Amino acid sequence: MEMLQYIIGSIILVLAVLLIFLITRQQGKRRGLENVISGNSSNNSYLNKTEAAKKGKKFEKWTVYCAIAFVALVIALYTVTSISKNMENNKKNDPPVSESSEASK
């Protein structure tokens, strides 16, 4: 069980870094204001806008997929950890079985 916890934990770590990357790569809703302030008018063509929109949709879609996987793995890790702790507690609370008590049955 402990190995499964390490595997799920490392996948969660990779997904967290990937989520940070995807979220920071997405463009904000008010990106036109940046162009006005900086004087950058090269992004104003129709072709650039549609390509940016397609790329933005891809980032949004992958962000949602990664977020869903992240939440599912966190829940799975919590479940595996609680099952593991319950198994350990049951082993501690069970009285040791002796051979004489088994023979009398």
Side-chain angles (χ1 to χ4, degrees):
M1 282 284 200
E2 191 173 324
M3 187 61 146
L4 183 62
Q5 291 172 351
Y6 287 129
I7 292 170
I8 293 174
S10 60
I11 293 171
I12 288 173
L13 180 65
V14 169
L15 279 176
V17 171
L18 184 63
L19 273 171
I20 291 170
F21 173 76
L22 287 172
I23 290 170
T24 56
R25 294 290 300 167
Q26 290 181 11
Q27 296 179 349
K29 301 286 185 198
R30 301 184 307 170
R31 65 175 178 243
L33 183 61
E34 295 172 4
N35 293 334
V36 170
I37 293 172
S38 67
N40 184 6
S41 62
S42 64
N43 288 335
N44 290 335
S45 72
Y46 178 74
L47 185 60
N48 285 339
K49 287 182 181 179
T50 56
E51 286 179 17
K54 287 179 186 177
K55 195 180 285 188
K57 291 290 184 186
K58 284 184 182 179
F59 279 127
E60 287 178 18
K61 186 180 356 176
W62 281 103
T63 303
V64 169
Y65 293 153
C66 288
I68 290 170
F70 182 83
V71 169
L73 285 174
V74 167
I75 292 170
L77 181 63
Y78 176 76
T79 305
V80 167
T81 304
S82 64
I83 289 171
S84 175
K85 285 185 180 180
N86 284 338
M87 289 173 60
E88 288 177 12
N89 287 340
N90 288 341
K91 285 181 183 178
K92 289 179 183 177
N93 294 336
D94 287 343
V97 178
S98 63
E99 291 178 19
S100 60
S101 63
E102 287 182 5
S104 64
K105 291 182 181 180

